[in-house]
Amino acid sequence: MNILVLGSGGREHALAWAIAKSPLTDTLFVAPGNGGTAQIAKNVSNLNAESGEEVLAFARENDVELVVIGPEAPLVAGVADAVRAGGIAVFGPDAQGAQLEGSKTFSKEFMVRNGIPTAGYGSFDNAPDALAYARELGAPLVVKADGLAAGKGVIVADSLDAAEEAIRDCFTGAFGAAGSRVVVEECLTGPECSLLAFVSAGEALCMSTAQDHKRAFDGDEGPNTGGMGCYSPVPIVDPDELAEMQRIMQQAAEATAREFACDYRGVLYGGFMLTPEGPKVLEFNARFGDPETQVVLPRLESDLVEVMLAVAEGCPGDIGLSWSDRWACGVVLASSGYPGSYEKGKAVSGIEAAEALDGVTVFHAGTAERPDSGLVTSGGRVLCVTALGDTFESARAQAYKACGLIDFEGKQLRTDIGYRASIGRSAWGN
């Protein structure tokens, strides 16, 4: 069949990479795609991925039978609604389901209503009330822009001054319309962990655990980013915690079937904090994570297209998930200055040598192919270098070996992806 993937990042390259391996895939389109997807699919640069009408028209014109929506913005914009109404299978929830990510307030209310463990919070549409609540709660606390902010609208404030500054920033336009409402939360303690699930007809089929590194610099210093590296599975998660996280994901899936007008069909991403009282949900996302996808999918042995079709058609009973026993570690190579301002158009070399190493796959994010200069940087996060290994340490070592073979001017990376987990739970103090 012909398949269309919407998106341009490392997540979408990983999705396209896995979809391209399926014998069910005929022609694969990626809109708009990047330098990596161009090597395995047909990039479609002139399609507005946030317009359901345009996506549906393209799908009909090109005999597309499955549309896979990568980023959150098209989901919140209702692209899945329009394409599904046009009779084409879609992997991704409708606009109502996507509000689990599109609005922090909507998501927190959903959790509280359904008994899902999460941090205490307040939601505010004005600065004075938010500031008063923050002062009452006391530091440390977490300030979140309510809407979509490209993964950068969450501020962990260690002091009340920092929290007040974050609240004022939200209401003065630092995150655009996303900050017109603000959620202020108590600050939970413990390691973070992600558990994604394929959700359809009220059933959650959980994937393997993953752990992202949000901060820009070594030692979890610097500003939050879209993610600087990841690994899967997470060695510090004990069996009881994993069982509880899986129970919570199933509880959430059942709630979507009970509360939402249309069946939730796609990925539900659970961002957890492993607190001393047990796992609690920090956030839900309505799509695959980035860079979690780049370490989870290389460990998936099942046919991803078969899984996605079963989800899209509301047949979770047809899904069987099989996972490799190997470990995966992914390290993001970013442009100098990221997550702030950075230059584009830097020549990228060494990817072929990196992928010649055993178990290494390089997923493109901010790259583009230029007729005159070949592969160049075109974004903040440029590549995610993923390695599989028989042990956690061997996967980490191979990923960093591959990173050393890749070069572009201003290459920036964290050198400690997975280091804390290699020490054990004591590295988090609990």
Side-chain angles (χ1 to χ4, degrees), residues 257-323:
R258 187 170 57 248
E259 292 195 3
F260 297 167
C262 296
D263 187 17
Y264 190 108
R265 298 182 183 183
V267 167
L268 184 62
Y269 169 129
F272 286 87
M273 181 75 84
L274 306 179
T275 78
E277 296 80 36
K280 295 186 179 183
V281 177
L282 295 173
E283 64 178 0
F284 281 126
N285 293 326
R287 38 70 190 179
F288 276 101
D290 187 345
E292 289 90 345
T293 309
Q294 293 92 299
V295 294
V296 170
L297 287 188
R299 299 186 56 243
L300 177 66
E301 295 179 335
S302 307
D303 186 316
L304 182 60
V305 174
E306 288 184 359
V307 174
M308 287 181 158
L309 280 173
V311 169
E313 293 168 356
C315 302
D318 294 344
I319 299 172
L321 298 181
S322 176
W323 300 95

Side-chain angles (χ1 to χ4, degrees), residues 19-366:
I19 289 169
K21 293 192 298 181
S22 171
L24 295 176
T25 303
D26 187 0
T27 302
L28 176 60
F29 302 96
V30 185
N34 57 40
T37 60
Q39 300 170 22
I40 57 173
K42 294 183 178 180
N43 281 355
V44 185
S45 60
N46 60 347
L47 177 61
N48 180 2
E50 294 183 29
S51 168
E53 187 176 298
E54 285 192 33
V55 173
L56 176 60
F58 178 89
R60 285 175 168 164
E61 290 166 9
N62 292 276
D63 298 321
V64 169
E65 295 180 63
L66 175 65
V67 174
V68 177
I69 303 177
E72 57 273 23
L75 292 169
V76 172
V79 170
D81 308 58
V83 176
R84 197 170 279 129
I88 296 173
V90 183
F91 183 87
D94 70 348
Q96 184 185 24
Q99 281 299 296
L100 286 173
E101 178 169 4
S103 168
K104 302 290 193 302
T105 301
F106 179 95
S107 186
K108 295 292 282 191
E109 291 173 347
F110 172 86
M111 291 184 227
V112 170
R113 218 170 31 246
N114 290 287
I116 293 170
T118 189
Y121 79 102
S123 177
F124 308 95
D125 61 5
N126 65 87
D129 287 347
L131 290 167
Y133 182 78
R135 290 164 187 151
E136 176 186 340
L137 198 60
L141 48 80
V142 182
V143 178
K144 298 181 177 181
D146 182 75
L148 298 179
K152 301 180 182 69
V154 177
I155 301 94
V156 179
D158 294 325
S159 68
L160 195 55
D161 286 345
E164 292 179 353
E165 180 182 2
I167 289 169
R168 292 189 181 98
D169 283 347
C170 285
F171 284 114
T172 54
F175 302 104
S180 60
R181 175 171 283 276
V182 170
V183 170
V184 180
E185 292 184 351
E186 66 173 322
C187 188
L188 301 178
T189 61
E192 291 188 38
C193 178
S194 301
L195 182 63
L196 284 68
F198 295 104
V199 171
S200 184
E203 294 292 327
L205 291 98
C206 292
M207 303 184 211
S208 182
T209 54
Q211 192 168 56
D212 186 14
H213 295 62
K214 283 289 188 185
R215 299 282 187 158
F217 308 126
D218 286 1
D220 290 326
E221 298 292 334
N224 271 347
T225 70
M228 294 299 292
C230 201
Y231 51 83
S232 175
V234 182
I236 61 168
V237 176
D238 69 39
D240 289 341
E241 287 173 324
L242 178 59
E244 175 64 5
M245 291 162 67
Q246 291 170 336
R247 185 198 68 77
I248 291 170
M249 293 303 291
Q250 178 59 33
Q251 182 180 353
E254 291 172 0
T256 67
R258 187 170 57 248
E259 292 195 3
F260 297 167
C262 296
D263 187 17
Y264 190 108
R265 298 182 183 183
V267 167
L268 184 62
Y269 169 129
F272 286 87
M273 181 75 84
L274 306 179
T275 78
E277 296 80 36
K280 295 186 179 183
V281 177
L282 295 173
E283 64 178 0
F284 281 126
N285 293 326
R287 38 70 190 179
F288 276 101
D290 187 345
E292 289 90 345
T293 309
Q294 293 92 299
V295 294
V296 170
L297 287 188
R299 299 186 56 243
L300 177 66
E301 295 179 335
S302 307
D303 186 316
L304 182 60
V305 174
E306 288 184 359
V307 174
M308 287 181 158
L309 280 173
V311 169
E313 293 168 356
C315 302
D318 294 344
I319 299 172
L321 298 181
S322 176
W323 300 95
S324 168
D325 291 332
R326 302 189 82 189
W327 298 78
C329 180
V331 179
V332 169
L333 303 183
S335 297
S336 178
Y338 176 79
S341 60
Y342 52 84
E343 295 182 351
K344 302 179 182 180
K346 308 299 183 183
V348 181
S349 63
I351 292 178
E352 187 175 336
E355 292 197 314
L357 297 178
D358 179 52
V360 172
T361 305
V362 179
F363 295 111
H364 295 231

